[in-house]
Every structure is written in structure tokens, then in C-alpha cells.
Amino acid sequence: MGRTREAGCVAAGVVIGAGACYCVYRLTWGRDEKIWDNNDEDDKEESSDIVETGVEIGKGAKPNAVVGAVARLQGDSKVKSEMGVVLESGSDVKAEVHLGPQSGGGLEAKAKALFSTLKEQASAKAGRGTRFGTISGNRTLAPSLPCPGGRGGGCHPTRSGARARSRASGKTKGRTRSKSTRTPASAWPVRRVKFNFPYKIDDILGAPDLQKVLNILERSNDPFIQEVALVTLGNNAAYSFNQNAIRELGGLPIIAKLIKTKDLIIREKAYNALNNLSVNAENQGKIKTYISQVCDDTMICCLDSAVQMAGLRLLTNMTVTNHYQHLLSYSFPDFFALLFLGNYFTKIQIMKLIINFTENPAMTRELVSCKVPSELISLFNKEWDREILLNILTLFENINDNIKSEGLASSKKEFSRSSLFFLFKESGVCVKKIKALANHNDLVVKVKVLKVLTKL
């Protein structure tokens, strides 16, 4: 009877152990299956990173030793490995159960303790979840690397969890990855020019420093140094006290010499510097020597270019007063041709220049006798914005007033049918266009139109 009872106890212990293993299997198998499905590629990549941990449990080891072995498994080992350890230890549990009857009736208590311990261990593993989360491929951007799409290169993901812990613990890996020492190529090519310039382009300089800049500009053939020097002088020429200083230091001929260069950037910067200097009346007396050349170069250079705009601004400043307008009277047909051909900004600038001539009655005869394209009448259309319309209406108003004041209406036979006089005065088309603007949506344009119509 004793052997029968002992066999029953052993069978009960085996059943309880198998039940405990099945509970662990049910708690962890679904989560593990999901992880393996999501990380097929990561498993292949990190197969060498996984640390194999062998657990051997001796014959007479207690059930707590089984739990301890499971707890000592590394973060990279899978739950399947844990299941294998538990299942392999089944015979050891049987041996422990076989020894149980000698101690009395505590076999059931030990089996229940084993079951509850394994259950708590499995619940704790499922509750933590950090090990599963890190293996599942979650990636974060390294804070020291640029964001995606940046010029320095793309972002590289950093992997937390098993690989980070194995690196921290100093465990060896079957495969090591070396950092790339290759420098990423710059997205924008940079032309490096080595030269030293003693000042910043926005520095406000005194006479001694201006003299140094003029000396550098005069002696250097380097286009980069010339450009920086011209911009520095142009910025300083915006101040009245430096306009006189640059003239007294002999700077005007040095700057004007560069308007003959073939380098369009240098020519533009020279025009800009002379433009700021031309605000001074005494400087205009020096710059008038170069005004014809500036006008010729401006008319033949690329249409709507920055050089052309800089030249037109200089000519506009030089014609604000009546002293030097006669030097440009031969270019009137070119001005009106540019008014028709140029873009919006060129039209605005050339109209400002022509308006300067219309405000001088002495220039009226030469102005209205020049040949102009008939397409200029299109500038009176309401599709143009306020600035274009106000400028063309001002131009018409000034010419109409000057024709009356100079008595040119009686000598209309002197002007050809292609002249500005015929287009504005005799054809009648211009007056019809202006009357059509009386209903313009812009109130300022409407007031200007009514003012012009009252003078007809």
C-alpha cells in the first residue's frame, strides 16, 4: 500500500508541474509569437548578438533553482528559451517529488508553491514589457544627429534594449560594426577665396580708413577684393560727410575707372557707389564726365539686368536737376524703346528718368520730337497697377503742360506721325484711353485722371 501511495504522489507532482509549465506557455506564447513575426529581419541581423545561456540544474536541485535560472536569462534571450529550460527541468522536479514523501505530507504544499512561483514570475515578465518593446524594433532618433532631409545626411536610428545592455555589460559579439569615418559631402559647393580685407562692408569709416580702401581698390586686380571695396565705399557714400571725404581723397576717378570693366558684377557695384555719391551736387560736377558712357553702356547691356537697373538709377539721380540733362538728349528714342520692352521694374525706373526731363520745359521740343513706338499707348490700360498708371499719367500731364507753355501746339507740322507729339497730342487715342480710366477702381488713379482731363 505504501508503494501505491508513493506512486500516486509522484504522478500528482508530475501533473502539477506540467500544469505550471502549461500556464507559463499560455501567458507568454502569444506575445512571443507576435514579436517574432514583427522582427524577422531584426532576428537575422542580431543572431550573433544573442547571448546563449546554458542552465543546468542538478539532480536534487530545488524548484527555486529553476525559477532563479529563468530570472537570470539575459534580455536578448527569447521566452521560448525559458520554456525550454523549464521543460528540461521536468525530470528534476520529478526527482524532487520522489524525495518528498520521506519528509511527510509536504509534497502538495511544495507543488503548489512551485506553481504559484512560476505563475508570479510569468506575470511579472508580462507586466514589465520593456524587453519585448525593445526587441520589437522601436527606433528613436539620436539627438546628436541631424534631422531627416538635412544637408548633413539622414538620421540613423539607435536601438535600445538588448543590444544597448549587452554593450553596457561588455559582452562580446560575433560581429562588430565600425563607425564610418567618411566625411559627408556638402550639398552646396563653396568656392573658397583667400584674401584679407581690413574692414567689414557695413563699417562706417573715417577719412584715413577710406583712403586705405581706395588704395586697395586702385592697386588690386582681384575681382573679389574690388567688389568688397566698392560695396564698402558705396555704403559709406550713403552718409553726406563721407560723400565729401571720398571726393576730396580722389576716390571718384578710381571708382569711375571700373565702369569700363567687362565684369558685370564689378560694373554694377561701381554704378551703385557712384549713384550714392551723385546725391552731392559737387560730386555731380565730377561724375558728369562719365555720364555719356554710363548711358551708352546701360542701353546696350542685357535687358532688365541688375547692371542696367543700376545704370538707370545713376542716370535718374544725375537728371534730378536741369544742369546735365542736355548731355542725355540724344538717348531719348532709346529711353522710350526701353520703356516699351522692359519688365515692370525697368518700366518704373525709366519712367522716373523721363519724368525728370518732362519737368524741364527747355527739354520739351527735343523730347516730343523723338520717335517712339506706338505700342506705348498700351501703358494707359487699366490692367496696370497704380504705380505704372500714376507715372504714365504724370508724364502725359507734364508734356501737355509744356507744349502749351512753349507754344508748340501751333507748330505741329514740325513733328512726324511717329513722334511723341503726334501720339500724345494729335492722334486722340491717348485722350480716349485716359477717359476710360475715369472709372478705375483705385481712388488715387481716379483723382489723377480727373486732374489730367481738366487740363485738356
Side-chain angles (χ1 to χ4, degrees):
M1 192 67 186
R3 286 186 176 277
T4 304
R5 183 176 181 181
E6 183 178 351
C9 291
V10 170
V14 171
V15 171
I16 293 172
C21 294
Y22 180 74
C23 289
V24 174
Y25 165 78
R26 292 291 295 174
L27 288 171
T28 60
W29 177 253
R31 185 183 297 273
D32 202 22
E33 192 71 24
K34 186 177 180 180
I35 292 169
W36 291 343
D37 290 340
N38 291 339
N39 291 287
D40 236 0
E41 295 181 358
D42 287 348
D43 289 341
K44 291 177 183 178
E45 180 182 345
E46 297 190 14
S47 60
S48 60
D49 297 341
I50 297 177
V51 182
E52 300 291 344
T53 304
V55 180
E56 296 181 359
I57 303 177
K59 288 274 180 183
K62 297 206 183 324
N64 291 337
V66 179
V67 179
V70 174
R72 283 196 300 273
L73 285 178
Q74 298 298 319
D76 286 345
S77 56
K78 301 287 184 281
V79 181
K80 244 182 178 180
S81 302
E82 297 174 14
M83 289 296 302
V85 173
V86 174
L87 290 174
E88 288 171 2
S89 64
S91 60
D92 301 329
V93 174
K94 185 176 178 179
E96 176 64 28
V97 172
H98 181 72
L99 297 175
Q102 298 175 4
S103 60
L107 181 62
E108 289 187 18
K110 287 184 179 182
K112 289 180 180 180
L114 174 62
F115 176 80
S116 61
T117 304
L118 292 176
K119 185 176 180 180
E120 289 174 3
Q121 180 72 14
S123 300
K125 287 167 65 66
R128 280 198 304 268
T130 54
R131 179 159 44 177
F132 302 115
T134 54
I135 298 175
S136 66
N138 293 337
R139 296 169 184 259
T140 56
L141 295 180
S144 60
L145 294 173
C147 291
R151 293 182 183 174
C155 286
H156 302 284
T158 58
R159 189 172 309 196
S160 58
R163 299 182 66 182
R165 284 196 297 272
S166 63
R167 277 199 296 269
S169 61
K171 293 182 180 179
T172 58
K173 294 186 178 182
R175 179 179 59 195
T176 58
R177 297 180 183 178
S178 60
K179 273 188 178 180
S180 176
T181 57
R182 190 171 51 187
T183 305
S186 176
W188 299 99
V190 179
R191 181 169 59 177
R192 299 182 183 276
V193 181
K194 199 172 182 180
F195 69 94
N196 295 320
F197 195 78
Y199 309 103
K200 295 181 180 179
I201 59 175
D202 55 351
D203 285 345
I204 302 174
L205 307 178
D209 296 323
L210 289 173
Q211 183 66 68
K212 291 180 182 178
V213 176
L214 289 170
N215 291 339
I216 293 173
L217 181 61
E218 186 175 18
R219 296 172 185 173
S220 176
N221 292 322
D222 189 335
F224 296 98
I225 296 179
Q226 290 176 342
E227 181 181 354
V228 174
L230 286 170
V231 172
T232 304
L233 291 171
N235 288 340
N236 278 270
Y239 301 95
S240 57
F241 55 87
N242 278 337
Q243 293 167 3
N244 293 323
I246 293 173
R247 182 187 69 252
E248 293 167 359
L249 293 171
L252 290 175
I254 296 174
I255 297 173
K257 182 179 67 174
L258 294 175
I259 66 176
K260 301 177 183 179
T261 183
K262 295 181 179 179
D263 191 320
L264 297 181
I265 296 177
I266 300 301
R267 196 190 305 175
E268 177 197 351
K269 304 308 178 187
Y271 285 162
N272 289 337
L274 291 175
N275 182 41
N276 287 346
L277 290 167
S278 67
V279 176
N280 185 290
E282 295 183 42
N283 288 343
Q284 283 191 358
K286 302 287 184 181
I287 298 173
K288 70 177 182 180
T289 309
Y290 315 102
I291 191 173
S292 296
Q293 182 181 350
V294 172
C295 183
D296 294 341
D297 292 343
T298 301
M299 292 301 107
I300 64 175
C301 70
C302 185
L303 182 65
D304 303 326
S305 63
V307 183
Q308 189 173 67
M309 289 297 295
L312 288 175
R313 285 193 294 267
L314 175 56
L315 295 176
T316 303
N317 267 359
M318 289 294 296
T319 55
V320 169
T321 63
N322 301 338
H323 303 304
Y324 313 110
Q325 290 181 355
H326 64 280
L327 299 174
L328 300 177
S329 59
Y330 70 94
S331 297
F332 284 158
D334 297 329
F335 293 159
F336 282 103
L338 192 58
L339 177 59
F340 170 68
L341 296 173
N343 63 12
Y344 174 83
F345 301 102
T346 303
K347 289 182 191 303
I348 293 293
Q349 195 61 50
I350 200 71
M351 278 195 284
K352 291 179 180 179
L353 175 59
I354 298 174
I355 287 172
N356 285 347
F357 290 102
T358 62
E359 291 176 349
N360 182 7
M363 300 298 299
T364 304
R365 183 177 291 273
E366 294 180 68
L367 190 62
V368 297
S369 62
C370 72
K371 294 183 179 180
V372 296
S374 59
E375 289 83 1
L376 282 180
I377 205 72
S378 63
L379 293 176
F380 291 93
N381 289 339
K382 62 181 180 180
E383 286 80 11
W384 293 104
D385 70 348
R386 175 194 291 185
E387 191 167 6
I388 290 282
L389 290 175
L390 291 180
N391 279 312
I392 194 65
L393 287 171
T394 301
L395 194 151
F396 178 87
E397 180 185 9
N398 290 348
I399 290 178
N400 187 62
D401 292 344
N402 290 339
I403 288 174
K404 290 180 179 179
S405 62
E406 294 295 315
L408 297 178
S410 58
S411 55
K412 56 184 179 181
K413 294 181 181 179
E414 299 179 13
F415 307 106
S416 65
R417 295 181 64 86
S418 60
S419 65
L420 182 64
F421 178 88
F422 185 83
L423 182 66
F424 275 12
K425 193 70 177 174
E426 293 297 317
S427 66
V429 178
C430 214
V431 176
K432 291 180 182 178
K433 289 279 187 180
I434 293 174
K435 288 180 178 179
L437 293 174
N439 297 324
H440 199 274
N441 296 330
D442 194 307
L443 181 60
V444 179
V445 174
K446 188 182 295 186
V447 171
K448 185 68 175 179
V449 168
L450 294 176
K451 181 183 176 183
V452 172
L453 290 177
T454 55
K455 293 183 177 182
L456 295 177

